[in-house]
Amino acid sequence: MASPKGSRSQMKLPIFTRKGTLEVPSPTEKDWSKDNEDDWLFKDPDQEQDSLPQPYRMINKMVNSLFDRSWEIIEARDTSSKAELHRIQPTIYHPLRESKLSTTPNCMDVSQDHVFIGGSKGFSIYNLHNAKQLYVWEKLKVDVISILVTDLGSEILIAPVDETGIVRLFYFYKDGLYLIKAINESEDTSKQTTCIKMEISKGGNFAALLLQEAGDIWLNVYKLPKESWIKEVQYPQLAVNTKKKVRQQLQLVGPIESNLPLPIEMDMNISFRGDVKLSLPVQIMKIKPPKPITGTTFKSPLEAFAKIAGCRGLGSGQNHYIKASQWEKREAILKATYKKYLDGEWEPEPVSMATFYFLLPSRVIPMPAGVKRSPGLACTLGVHWTDHHNFFFYSLNRTLKDKVDPEGVWPCAAPIMESQLSPCSSYLVLACEDGVLSLWDLAQGLTLGVVALPENCFCQSIHFLKYFLVHKGQNVYPEGSVKCHMKCVVLCTDASLHLVTASAIQNSTISLLVERPVKYLDEAICAVAPVQALPGMVLTFSRDGSVLLMDVAKSQIVCSFALPRSYSLAAPWNPVFVVSLHHPCFLLRGDHPDEIGSASKAEDIPNSIFYFNFEDYPLLENLSRNCTIPQASILDHPTFAQALPLEERCEKFFQKSIQNLAKYKVKEEEHWTRLERYSLLLQNEDLKK
């Protein structure tokens, strides 16, 4: 029986129709009539679809398109799953210890043997090795969103920043915690400033805060009287009665009326010493963003030269001799040339942000005359602002009354996007908007080179590696300091990862470690952290929540670190973690996704900090314990020979020359013997003639 007109089979398959009435053919093939091919007509399936009335024709096309698209997705997923099975999976290591918290940890930092975790209404202190909670300071009405910890040797500076942008400076010494000051807190809420970024110099002598208020932004620099603090905590001036002492010992979790439960394992030795008043930081400088370049008010070039007496701030572009009419003409030409791009609505310009570093004395940054030089004491503040070409140097040996002018300016060809100072404060990398990286050796006062990122790659973050060598197939740290050599890892905005190597005697090189993910977008790298305990190793955090350990020398994945099955990273694109600089371990925050949706209150959400120790994993045990090798063991290594100081390299060259003298003498004798035999041969030939 023929299918009804407009059915699915008629629309999808070619149909041959015959002119005239249809007849039932005979079951025997020999009785079939010989039809002429001209009597058959071919009808296009698309015409059959078009013959459907609306809206059925549109529904039919949508269903077919959806079916085809679904089939393509199924095939792509099947191909991906087959490829995933053939991929080599790294060894997975799980955490050794879990610390369950009653509040959500927003940030954390490590110093010496202590872990500082910022969370709800304050911060807490834990022991790094046994995960015991030592103290809880919760006296705020808002959460702590970031915490900065600086190691001063026997003391520790703690600087938590809360949600309102207020910075409080704490001093931690032995068993006492002291509140120095809420630096930018104001009694008038209408004049309250917000701290965007904070840095403390190595050694704790200076601090800098990037503050914002009502659209204005500036940088405040303070001198910290750390010499006075140690005396004030050792010999307190105020007496404390017995009743107040008892109250302070009980005041471990904030106010007395707090209902937060005490941890089971609590070390009762640490106490908050609110009775001891420490010396306050002294503001020495206020730096504002560079002013836009406008027309000059100078009447002659002599006035412009007089303004920059002593070459202070030379290169900033401020003290120029360009008239306002010239700027107007240039602006008119620009608008006329790019009118089609400039027309339309303009978004408001973002507030200019600052990146700043405390720099040690060097050949580039000498210590001012008459100032006593102290090892590890910062003398200059390096600053650059977003969408600006210049890197400024400001001397820290000044008072608030002194005029704030930069002592030096490094102009770049393009606006500076990112920068990074090495932990030893010897190397500086400036990443410009055009993808060019400028590598500087501040200690020696020379540039190590300029490298360019691949096309359409822009720098997102820079991470310095402690200089390492590959000796007998293993990454090792040379014993002692290495000068004029640096290595860093650059994470780009397209999630690609690059290794940059530079030295004073070789050209700078850049190599690709991880390509931009095209097929597996969830594998895009979001964060990178160098592991100082393992030479040439970095931790990478991806969008899919995976944490991988990479060997940058071989560009290979060594192993993977995973949380327990019931936990995951709450925000893989912004993980909360910290890597210890003094111990072979790192800490990672994990959340319980199955219980987050059912939790009624934020404090009921289970959160944990997981502890990973590299030395406890079989694959990494030898790497972390045998990471340093004496210089005498690798004297023949070409890279290590170049890393030696100039005097040692010259001595090594002369020693090799003396050792080769005997070889050269033997070769010389062989050469004279050959000449003598050849001369005798020629003499005999002449006699024969």
Side-chain angles (χ1 to χ4, degrees), residues 118-136:
S120 176
K121 301 180 181 180
F123 65 92
S124 54
I125 305 175
Y126 287 81
N127 186 294
L128 176 63
H129 305 289
N130 56 24
K132 287 186 178 180
Q133 192 176 49
L134 305 179
Y135 184 74
V136 177

Side-chain angles (χ1 to χ4, degrees), residues 581-621:
L581 297 177
H582 305 286
H583 304 283
C585 64
F586 76 98
L587 304 176
L588 180 63
R589 168 189 161 182
D591 297 338
H592 205 300
D594 297 335
E595 299 182 14
I596 289 179
S598 61
S600 58
K601 298 181 181 179
E603 56 267 18
D604 296 334
I605 300 176
N607 298 277
S608 298
I609 298 295
F610 294 93
Y611 176 87
F612 297 84
N613 192 325
F614 300 114
E615 292 184 346
D616 291 336
Y617 302 118
L619 191 61
L620 308 176
E621 183 178 0

Side-chain angles (χ1 to χ4, degrees), residues 357-412:
Y357 308 100
F358 289 98
L359 307 177
L360 300 178
S362 62
R363 296 182 181 180
V364 176
I365 313 164
M367 182 69 77
V371 178
K372 185 180 179 181
R373 182 169 181 174
S374 177
L377 178 63
C379 68
T380 304
L381 182 71
V383 184
H384 72 84
W385 301 81
T386 53
D387 299 329
H388 286 80
H389 296 65
N390 299 327
F391 189 84
F392 299 94
F393 297 91
Y394 296 89
S395 175
L396 296 173
N397 295 280
R398 66 173 77 225
T399 62
L400 189 59
K401 296 181 180 180
D402 297 334
K403 188 176 181 180
V404 180
D405 285 328
E407 273 63 33
V409 180
W410 282 358
C412 296

Side-chain angles (χ1 to χ4, degrees), residues 85-324:
L85 293 175
H86 291 84
R87 296 178 65 189
I88 300 176
Q89 299 296 332
T91 305
I92 300 176
Y93 291 122
H94 295 280
L96 302 175
R97 188 166 55 247
E98 176 185 358
S99 299
K100 294 186 177 181
L101 307 178
S102 58
T103 59
T104 302
N106 300 322
C107 52
M108 51 182 174
D109 204 349
V110 175
S111 180
Q112 298 179 10
D113 297 329
H114 299 89
V115 181
F116 301 85
I117 300 176
S120 176
K121 301 180 181 180
F123 65 92
S124 54
I125 305 175
Y126 287 81
N127 186 294
L128 176 63
H129 305 289
N130 56 24
K132 287 186 178 180
Q133 192 176 49
L134 305 179
Y135 184 74
V136 177
W137 188 88
E138 292 181 343
K139 298 183 180 181
L140 304 178
K141 296 181 180 180
V142 293
D143 293 353
V144 171
I145 58 174
S146 68
I147 188 167
L148 176 65
V149 177
T150 304
D151 186 5
L152 306 182
S154 58
E155 318 98 77
I156 299 175
L157 279 181
I158 311 168
V161 182
D162 61 24
E163 289 180 328
T164 61
I166 297 178
V167 180
R168 292 171 175 82
L169 191 61
F170 290 85
Y171 188 78
F172 182 43
Y173 177 71
K174 290 184 178 179
D175 58 349
L177 182 66
Y178 307 84
L179 174 61
I180 299 174
K181 183 186 179 182
I183 300 180
N184 60 324
E185 188 176 22
S186 176
E187 296 181 358
D188 188 356
T189 56
S190 61
K191 298 181 180 180
Q192 179 63 54
T193 59
T194 302
C195 178
I196 303 175
K197 189 185 299 183
M198 180 179 182
E199 292 289 341
I200 299 177
S201 66
K202 191 175 182 180
N205 297 95
F206 300 94
L209 278 73
L210 184 63
L211 302 176
Q212 184 179 12
E213 179 190 9
D216 295 333
I217 193 167
W218 67 92
L219 190 63
N220 278 355
V221 185
Y222 298 87
K223 186 174 183 180
L224 306 180
K226 69 170 192 174
E227 292 81 6
S228 301
W229 291 340
I230 189 67
K231 297 178 181 178
E232 291 168 354
V233 297
Q234 290 178 349
Y235 308 100
Q237 301 294 327
L238 300 177
V240 184
N241 55 40
T242 306
K243 183 177 180 180
K244 186 175 291 188
K245 284 185 178 180
V246 175
R247 180 180 177 85
Q248 290 169 358
Q249 291 179 355
L250 295 176
Q251 201 174 17
L252 295 176
V253 291
I256 297 295
E257 59 272 15
S258 176
N259 295 323
L260 294 175
L262 288 174
I264 299 176
E265 294 180 329
M266 175 73 77
D267 193 336
M268 305 296 290
N269 294 329
I270 298 179
S271 61
F272 180 71
R273 302 295 302 276
D275 57 298
V276 179
K277 304 298 180 182
L278 302 183
S279 300
L280 301 180
V282 179
Q283 185 176 351
I284 60 174
M285 192 168 25
K286 182 178 181 179
I287 304 174
K288 294 185 178 181
K291 297 179 181 179
I293 300 177
T294 57
T296 182
T297 58
F298 301 134
K299 298 180 180 179
S300 66
L302 294 177
E303 293 185 15
F305 282 109
K307 190 71 175 178
I308 54 174
C311 298
R312 294 171 64 88
L314 184 64
S316 61
Q318 297 295 330
N319 301 320
H320 56 82
Y321 197 64
I322 304 175
K323 296 181 180 180

Side-chain angles (χ1 to χ4, degrees), residues 534-547:
L534 304 175
M537 304 288 179
V538 295
L539 285 174
T540 62
F541 299 83
S542 305
R543 288 185 179 272
D544 58 0
S546 60
V547 182

